[in-house]
Amino acid sequence: MRIGYGLNLEQTQKLIMTPELRQAIAVLQLSALELSGYVEQQMLENPLLDVIDDSADKSAENTQEDSPAQEKNEGADEGTWDMNWEEYFQHQEERVSKEYDPDAGQSTRFEPFLASGPSLQEHLLEQIHIQRVPMSQKLLEYIVGNLDDNGYLTLSLEEIAKQLQLPLEEVEKGLAVIQGLDPLGVGARSLEECLFLQLPLLADYPPELPEFLKYLEDLAAGRLQRIAGQLKITPSQVQDMADLIRTLDPKPGRSFAGTGEVRYIVPDVVVEEVEGEYIILVNDVTVPRLGINQVYRKALSQNNESEIRKFVEQKLNAAAWLIRSIEQRRLTLYKVADAIVRRQEEFLRRGIRYLKPLNLKDIAEEIGVHESTVSRATANKYIQTPRGIFEFKFFFATGLGSEQGMTTEGIKQALKEIIAAEDPKSPYSDQKLSEILKEKNMEISRRTVAKYRDELGLPSTALRKRY
């Protein structure tokens, strides 16, 4: 057998990841807010991109309608522009007064104004300054500054005394002042102390309640008999005191505003029911409408210099591809949402129990794209429906049950309803819950029941039992 080198021509088909294709894939994965920021960044890099203003288009149409009269006036006296300024300002005043007329009804729209409430530190410092506590303001402000978002003190009193070079007794008095401010419970160093500071909020609480706070770990583990034996009371009384404790706030600082903790969800798709049919709207309001700058387009036709023409052509192609990618994203997102809504119509009309099993392959085959395209189109995106706002992946539920017709969310909902209707004096065990679900054609094991119960935040049988 002869071994040697040779040249052969072979024709093959393969997909090349061009920069344009990479950009189209990246645009498809972006949510509405992310796409808005991406478009703004591209506008800074590409001078040929321009924002199309709808109001400008309308004014241009009005100008074209009035063009015959204008041409007649311009033909009568070309080069002169006579304007009645008094009439112009009078029209302006009428337009402004009409826009800001408080009795204009729903036709007048105002931008929403967001006001943030005071933070926990601001709330406490305001009380300190109003009360004028006869104590070192530096100490009180230092203690307030070392409270976390939940209102707990993050430093020990010894560390504060060492940092400020103050006696420990004075630091203890300062902490007592902070703990007496609103809301009660701030400045605590443990959960037990936080709840103890809030006992004045309870009217006629049992005398054993302060001592009961020392057994919070036993309470969390459901060892009510042990607590009853230590306090020499009945388990029913222990349960009553536990119910009182649950009315207190273990995190008194969380009701105040914090820095950057509010997150708004902007849905990428909105589904509305109109006369019994579901209408799908792709939410691209936050994304500006893009067009090609006419100045550079004219420069491309007039300028013949190679370097300038090459630069303009390059930016023009990039701008056109970006506009095409955004439009393709909108069409793909609409097709995916339309397919999901048609398959999950029973859920939209009747609730979570009727959510059907669905996967990416089903949607991909229906709209004629690859599974990866559906995955990218639904990644980190939300859809607003008459039943609330859901992430797209919520609708891709795994099928369970005897005929693979029940989803995980449907089984969790059924489990929640069974536990809510059980006898609190004799709650169901996980094995019993599994048997009840099997009677409803939901065949899952005891371990799966325990897993779903933990995900729902439902306690175990011992913790659900009431005496």
Side-chain angles (χ1 to χ4, degrees):
M1 182 177 178
R2 184 179 178 181
I3 300 177
Y5 295 99
L7 294 176
N8 296 318
L9 291 176
E10 184 179 357
Q11 186 176 6
T12 60
Q13 290 183 348
K14 61 180 181 179
L15 180 63
I16 300 177
M17 292 291 290
T18 62
E20 291 82 5
L21 184 58
R22 291 179 181 272
Q23 184 187 53
I25 293 175
V27 168
L28 181 61
Q29 295 182 109
L30 298 177
S31 63
L33 291 180
E34 292 171 342
L35 181 60
S36 178
Y38 181 79
V39 168
E40 292 179 0
Q41 180 65 30
Q42 292 298 315
M43 290 182 64
L44 294 176
E45 298 176 1
N46 194 340
L48 267 73
L49 287 173
D50 202 0
V51 178
I52 300 177
D53 191 2
D54 294 337
S55 59
D57 294 343
K58 293 180 181 180
S59 62
E61 293 177 1
N62 295 334
T63 304
Q64 292 178 359
E65 292 176 359
D66 298 339
S67 58
Q70 292 179 356
E71 291 176 358
K72 184 177 180 180
N73 293 335
E74 290 177 359
D77 189 7
E78 186 176 0
T80 62
W81 186 17
D82 188 13
M83 175 177 284
N84 189 343
W85 290 103
E86 294 182 359
E87 183 179 356
Y88 171 78
F89 284 120
Q90 182 179 359
H91 288 319
Q92 285 293 97
E93 291 176 359
E94 292 177 356
R95 183 178 64 83
V96 172
S97 62
K98 183 179 181 180
E99 288 180 355
Y100 292 93
D101 185 8
D103 300 328
Q106 297 182 354
S107 60
T108 304
R109 297 181 62 185
F110 298 94
E111 292 294 330
F113 294 92
L114 299 179
S116 61
S119 64
L120 176 63
Q121 284 73 18
E122 293 172 346
H123 182 68
L124 296 176
L125 290 176
E126 182 180 3
Q127 297 179 67
I128 293 173
H129 296 156
I130 291 177
Q131 294 180 8
R132 296 182 180 180
V133 181
M135 190 173 288
S136 172
Q137 295 290 318
K138 182 180 179 181
L139 170 62
L140 299 178
E141 293 176 359
Y142 189 84
I143 295 176
V144 170
N146 284 280
L147 299 179
D148 61 13
D149 294 337
N150 295 325
Y152 287 84
L153 184 62
T154 57
L155 295 179
S156 64
L157 298 184
E158 291 76 11
E159 290 176 321
I160 296 176
K162 183 179 180 180
Q163 289 289 337
L164 300 181
Q165 298 181 355
L166 293 174
L168 184 60
E169 294 78 10
E170 186 174 353
V171 177
E172 291 176 350
K173 293 180 181 178
L175 179 60
V177 172
I178 299 300
Q179 291 178 347
L181 300 178
D182 177 72
L184 290 179
V186 296
R189 290 155 289 180
S190 64
L191 177 59
E192 178 185 343
E193 185 179 13
C194 178
L195 297 176
F196 179 79
L197 293 173
Q198 299 180 57
L199 289 183
L201 299 176
L202 301 176
D204 300 329
Y205 59 85
E208 299 88 0
L209 193 56
E211 186 70 16
F212 171 75
L213 295 176
K214 298 179 181 179
Y215 301 94
L216 294 178
E217 293 185 3
D218 292 330
L219 177 64
R223 295 189 287 264
L224 303 187
Q225 295 284 357
R226 182 177 184 276
I227 300 175
Q230 292 290 332
L231 299 180
K232 298 180 180 179
I233 57 178
T234 63
S236 178
Q237 290 176 308
V238 173
Q239 226 158 34
D240 292 339
M241 287 192 292
D243 294 339
L244 282 176
I245 291 298
R246 290 189 179 96
T247 61
L248 303 178
D249 190 357
K251 298 178 180 179
R254 64 181 175 179
S255 59
F256 292 86
T259 56
E261 64 184 18
V262 179
R263 297 291 184 267
Y264 295 97
I265 294 178
V266 177
D268 299 88
V269 176
V270 179
V271 178
E272 296 183 356
E273 185 177 4
V274 179
E275 296 181 355
E277 296 183 1
Y278 290 103
I279 307 299
I280 299 173
L281 304 172
V282 178
N283 185 15
D284 53 0
V285 178
T286 58
V287 182
R289 291 182 57 196
L290 296 179
I292 305 299
N293 193 307
Q294 298 297 328
V295 176
Y296 287 93
R297 179 178 290 182
K298 293 179 181 178
L300 181 63
S301 60
Q302 297 175 359
N303 201 309
N304 294 323
E305 295 185 18
S306 60
E307 302 234 350
I308 298 178
R309 186 178 183 85
K310 184 178 180 181
F311 172 79
V312 175
E313 285 180 350
Q314 180 183 0
K315 294 298 182 181
L316 179 60
N317 292 333
W321 190 268
L322 177 61
I323 296 174
R324 192 180 309 143
S325 300
I326 294 176
E327 180 63 19
Q328 184 64 34
R329 171 191 177 274
R330 188 185 68 81
L331 293 176
T332 304
L333 198 56
Y334 176 83
K335 291 179 181 178
V336 171
D338 181 58
I340 291 176
V341 168
R342 279 190 278 106
R343 287 177 173 263
Q344 302 290 2
E345 186 173 351
E346 284 296 313
F347 159 74
L348 297 176
R349 296 190 186 278
R350 306 175 68 179
I352 189 68
R353 293 285 296 272
Y354 299 91
L355 185 67
K356 296 180 180 180
L358 187 64
N359 53 43
L360 298 175
K361 185 179 179 180
D362 297 334
I363 302 298
E365 292 178 351
E366 182 170 343
I367 65 177
V369 297
H370 196 268
E371 292 181 39
S372 61
T373 303
V374 179
S375 176
R376 292 188 179 98
T378 57
N380 302 320
K381 296 182 180 65
Y382 291 84
I383 178 172
Q384 178 179 324
T385 69
R387 292 200 169 270
I389 297 179
F390 302 94
E391 199 170 0
F392 264 97
K393 67 179 182 180
F394 169 81
F395 294 96
F396 296 98
T398 306
L400 296 173
S402 59
E403 300 179 357
Q404 298 291 313
M406 180 64 67
T407 63
T408 302
E409 296 296 330
I411 294 178
K412 288 182 179 179
Q413 181 66 23
L415 181 62
K416 188 187 300 184
E417 294 175 357
I418 294 172
I419 293 178
E422 69 182 358
D423 184 5
K425 295 182 180 180
S426 180
Y428 297 127
S429 63
D430 291 343
Q431 181 62 37
K432 182 62 176 178
L433 291 172
S434 175
E435 295 174 359
I436 296 175
L437 290 173
K438 286 181 181 179
E439 295 175 359
K440 298 184 177 183
N441 295 327
M442 305 178 193
E443 296 185 6
I444 58 176
S445 63
R446 180 192 60 81
R447 291 185 178 182
T448 308
V449 170
K451 174 186 174 183
Y452 289 169
R453 181 176 49 75
D454 291 338
E455 292 177 356
L456 292 171
L458 299 174
S460 62
T461 306
L463 296 181
R464 297 201 309 272
K465 186 175 181 180
R466 303 286 298 181
Y467 290 91

